[in-house]
Amino acid sequence: MKEVVVVVGAGFIGQAIARRVGAGKHVLLANVTKESAVKAAEALANAGFEVSAAAVDISSRESVKALVNKAQELGTVTGLIHAAGVSPSQAPIETILKVDLYGTALVLELFGEIIARGGSGVVISSQSGHRLPALTQEQNQALATVPTEDLLKLDILQPGKVTDTLHAYQLSKRGNSLRVMAEAVRWGVRGARINTISPGIVMTPLARDELTGPRGAGYRRMIETCAVGRAGTPDEIGNLAAFLMGPDGGFITGSDILMDGGVTAAHWFGAQTGKNTQ
């Protein structure tokens, strides 16, 4: 049967990864609207990839299950790229938790039930998960392991406990990395691997929304004061994802790779104040 790579979230990062791991396989691109998925699929098809498009609402179990079924109809699922989500400037607290936290857990659960032996996946999380202060061990354990349908019932996620959309986003992204670590055990039983990448500011439409939104000044300051002194590109994320999903990354699973140009280092240990000109 044909090998299938499923891309959930067919934006620039998802497409960049698909270009690196999808050759010779069938790429199933899924986005929140069929129109946007078709547009992304056309770009890949014009570059020589075998590709299909689908709509998916990752906050809906029925919708994600339908995507799983479609993928299985196309062949054997050996790859999962999960790059869907909303940012703090794009949605209210409830939507961020439902999409970024619950939706990611749902994708991991359902695709983890059918991923093929030797398969691999990558979840695109965020540096924001690394900027959240430490949680208790009990909270970490709950975010990682409670049944998907009980996830949003956790006490730390209730109204009044989540202070604003950025806090919701940070909790969601911390939850993503914890969930992937726990899921790596279950995926390992099937002989498959799953990892997380936590990018910093990568120039995509989502990042532009943030740069022009209410937190824009803070985002620009992060770029200016980090060690690298620039934003990242989807291709750079794609290169790392291809390594993690390929044979060279075969000993890596349940890991979260922070890839932010030094933004988190500057956050915790002091931003640079000047460039070395020597």
Side-chain angles (χ1 to χ4, degrees), residues 204-236:
T204 65
L206 184 148
R208 289 190 175 89
D209 283 347
E210 291 298 326
L211 285 166
T212 58
R215 297 182 180 86
Y219 271 68
R220 290 188 291 274
R221 185 166 57 253
M222 282 192 282
I223 294 172
E224 293 164 0
T225 59
C226 75
V228 173
R230 65 171 176 85
T233 67
D235 283 345
E236 289 174 307

Side-chain angles (χ1 to χ4, degrees), residues 10-76:
F12 285 91
I13 291 176
Q15 291 180 54
I17 302 171
R19 288 175 181 273
R20 287 159 173 78
V21 304
K25 303 174 184 178
H26 192 107
V27 178
L28 175 57
L29 284 174
N31 219 36
V32 66
T33 66
K34 183 68 175 289
E35 181 183 12
S36 58
V38 167
K39 184 177 180 180
E42 288 175 349
L44 284 184
N46 288 335
F49 291 87
E50 182 180 340
V51 58
S52 298
V56 66
D57 172 6
I58 64 170
S59 68
S60 162
R61 178 172 289 271
E62 292 74 19
S63 183
V64 176
K65 184 61 178 176
L67 182 65
V68 170
N69 292 340
K70 181 176 179 64
Q72 289 184 294
E73 291 171 1
L74 294 169
T76 302

Side-chain angles (χ1 to χ4, degrees), residues 137-216:
Q137 181 56 37
E138 291 76 13
Q139 290 169 335
N140 286 339
Q141 184 79 15
L143 285 169
T145 63
V146 298
T148 304
E149 295 306 317
D150 294 332
L151 188 53
L152 296 179
K153 301 174 185 176
L154 292 177
D155 182 65
I156 60 170
L157 304 178
Q158 298 314 301
K161 299 291 183 68
V162 183
T163 56
D164 53 35
T165 58
L166 178 59
H167 188 205
Y169 189 72
Q170 290 176 335
L171 282 166
S172 297
K173 297 308 180 179
R174 177 70 62 81
N176 290 167
S177 60
L178 291 167
R179 200 82 183 181
V180 163
M181 185 177 290
E183 282 286 336
V185 178
R186 189 168 70 97
W187 282 48
V189 173
R190 300 183 62 87
R193 299 181 298 106
I194 182 73
N195 291 290
T196 311
I197 298 174
S198 289
I201 300 172
V202 177
M203 293 315 297
T204 65
L206 184 148
R208 289 190 175 89
D209 283 347
E210 291 298 326
L211 285 166
T212 58
R215 297 182 180 86

Side-chain angles (χ1 to χ4, degrees), residues 213-275:
R215 297 182 180 86
Y219 271 68
R220 290 188 291 274
R221 185 166 57 253
M222 282 192 282
I223 294 172
E224 293 164 0
T225 59
C226 75
V228 173
R230 65 171 176 85
T233 67
D235 283 345
E236 289 174 307
I237 306 302
N239 290 337
L240 176 58
F243 171 80
L244 291 173
M245 293 182 70
D248 288 341
F251 196 57
I252 307 173
T253 192
S255 294
D256 176 52
I257 311 298
L258 177 62
M259 186 181 184
D260 69 349
V263 168
T264 301
H267 172 75
W268 289 113
F269 303 111
Q272 63 179 1
T273 57
K275 298 287 187 180

